[in-house]
Amino acid sequence: MTEPKKVNMEKIVSLCQRRGFIFPSSEIYGGLSSCWDYGPLGVELKRNVKDAWWQAVVQERDDIIGLDASILMHPQTWAASGHLEGFTDPLVECKNCHLRWRVDDLADNNCPSCGGELTEPRLFNLMFKTFMGPVEEEANVVYLRPETAQGMFVNFQNVLNTTRKRLPFGIAQIGKAFRNEITTGNFIFRSREFEQMEIEFFVKPGTDEEWFKYWLEERLNWYVKLGIKKENLRLREHTKGELAHYARVCYDIDYLFPMGWAELEGIANRGDFDLVQHAKHSGKSLDYYDDETKEHFIPYIIEPSGGVDRSALAFLCDAYDEEPDKEEIRVLLHLHPNLAPVKVAVLPLSRREKLTEVAKQIHADLRQCWMVQYDDAQSIGRRYRRQDEIGTPFCVTIDFQSLEDEQATIRERDTMNQIRVPISELKTVLAAKLSGERFDTESLWTAEG
Ligand code: GAP
């Protein structure tokens, strides 16, 4: 089978830095390994990814509610969850150059950097530690959460009592997680500080397999609806050896990243592991009373767990395109309009006051609805290319004719087709196009001049 076309990571990194999507963290000090800052466009893209997820899993559903738990949690949480004991990677150190490596990443028993001899593996816990309060002693150790999931398990009874939800129902959360990863790299794919979007879906034991299948399909479709090409996605079942300690079964949704197939989201059937563990460690009952069958039981949990940063990277890689453009190359991002950082750019043909006055008025009007950029620098062709490169779906151009007929040109990113629209109708037309509706005057599109 031939592999679908892949973009290389250097191009994505270069575009992200050049256009202000993503910068190395604290760059003026040389950067901080595997930490990243989202610039003006990156922050919009990331917000749009999170909003699209929240809309699909919370806003449009009756059976999931949201939560925002704290990053620092009672240290017992991590004893109960198994992270204190089991959230480790086997690590070796080179006796010569002292670089450290994850055993899983080694091809043989020599240091990949200098070929030196390696130490015996030892287990390295991936949780970041800090201290609560002014005294730095063992009793005050707290951890930066390595996953958002635990905040939802420990709030299971709070949510149940305050929302009167009945099974099956879920809790959803978006938030930062921290892992002291040994092997990092591939840009924002694996970093030490990242954001997760997780659902913990509580179900009656016996219905878990059905719900597991439901969530596999639901989550896969979410990526496809937002524009990821089907051939760049696959489902992969975890082997017994790689299953996490809590999981009965787990599938990854893999994406074909520039470095190859890799996990985008994990979907696990966690059984009753988490609620049983937290009940045991806290001494609080976390069971559920079924009013219909008059039974008490511990629900099973289906967990779709995705990464905001990894999703953003997949959306960028999938959207990236290059087309010949006379002597140059047109770089464009075919981002879904819901994800595009800027929805519309307003471009006066020249800086003549008569034109800029109208254009500024349109800009002020449209920005009440969407993120809109105003750009009057350089030729109109260059300005279109700048917007293509950041994935702006529509440009609105104001020319001298606009002063006569009170119409503006809308130019579409992917086809470069153009249409004249009354300025008074711009908002309505753009809203329809941005929400994916076909334009009923499609035949009026003309090619970009
Ligand atoms: N609660 C289950 C859990 O955390 P995981 O497979 O370890 O499962 C879920 O993480 C998702 O979080 C991954 O599919 C990935 O998208 C994201 N993720 C995990 N570690 C990451 C890292 N170091 N950098 C960026 N994203 C990460």
Side-chain angles (χ1 to χ4, degrees), residues 21 24 65 69 80 100 149 166 210 215 223 256 265 269 284 291 326 370 393 409 427 442:
F21 278 90
I65 56 262
R100 290 175 174 185
R166 311 310 297 157
E210 196 185 313
W215 278 110
Y223 293 102
L256 188 57
E265 168 159 349
N269 181 345
K284 302 278 180 344
D291 325 88
K326 296 179 191 131
W370 307 288
T409 301
K427 234 189 226 175
E442 205 74 28

Side-chain angles (χ1 to χ4, degrees), residues 53-54 57-58 64-69 152 159 163 170-174:
W53 185 86
W54 196 263
V57 310
V58 180
I64 301 189
I65 56 262
L67 185 81
D68 186 6
M152 295 184 266
V159 171
T163 64
I171 307 179
Q173 175 165 225
I174 299 177

Side-chain angles (χ1 to χ4, degrees), residues 296-314:
H296 285 271
F297 58 84
I298 303 267
Y300 275 18
I301 295 172
I302 308 300
E303 177 194 66
S305 170
V308 179
D309 314 75
R310 257 182 220 184
S311 297
L313 181 60

Side-chain angles (χ1 to χ4, degrees), residues 238 250-253 263-268 303-306:
H238 280 207
C250 183
Y251 275 71
D252 284 345
I253 298 179
E263 176 187 346
L264 184 56
E265 168 159 349
I267 297 160
E303 177 194 66
S305 170

